[in-house]
Amino acid sequence: MLKGILLRFLTGGIVVSAFAVLGALLKPKSFAGLFGAAPSVALATLGLTVATQGRSYAATEARSMAGGAVAFFVYASCASWVMMRYQLRALVTTTILIVIWLAAAFAFWLIVLG
């Protein structure tokens, strides 16, 4: 168990560091933020899942990650539109619209994974 945790820690650290270097090299810096921790942690997790659980299980996990990303895009788009249109505070808007994220994720699960 300790060996598996150490492997996850090292793999995650290496992949996150590689993406951080890639992000630091890109211009403009706002675009470089796309290579933050989330994509690199997802790739490291998928790599470890393939090694420990097999390709089929990792494929299911990858589809779930894609669904979560689509749901987040829908949520972020709605939150951005509401904040620009109605000049609401970010905390209020994002808290209220979390239901959009959950609904989009559930819809993806029903349509694609269910």
Side-chain angles (χ1 to χ4, degrees), residues 20-42:
V21 168
L22 180 63
L25 296 174
L26 292 175
K27 303 282 189 250
K29 290 299 176 190
S30 59
F31 178 73
L34 292 173
F35 295 100
S40 54
V41 169

Side-chain angles (χ1 to χ4, degrees), residues 3-20:
K3 185 178 180 180
I5 292 172
L6 183 60
L7 179 64
R8 284 181 183 266
F9 177 77
L10 290 173
T11 304
I14 290 168
V15 174
V16 167
S17 296
F19 272 89

Side-chain angles (χ1 to χ4, degrees), residues 13-91:
I14 290 168
V15 174
V16 167
S17 296
F19 272 89
V21 168
L22 180 63
L25 296 174
L26 292 175
K27 303 282 189 250
K29 290 299 176 190
S30 59
F31 178 73
L34 292 173
F35 295 100
S40 54
V41 169
L43 289 175
T45 300
L46 279 176
L48 289 170
T49 302
V50 168
T52 59
Q53 302 289 329
R55 295 170 69 188
S56 177
Y57 186 80
T60 301
E61 293 297 311
R63 281 191 300 272
S64 298
M65 286 179 185
V70 169
F72 180 74
F73 176 78
V74 170
Y75 162 76
S77 298
C78 290
S80 176
W81 182 82
V82 167
M83 285 190 297
M84 289 189 304
R85 175 78 167 96
Y86 298 107
Q87 302 296 315
L88 296 176
R89 302 181 93 200
L91 181 61

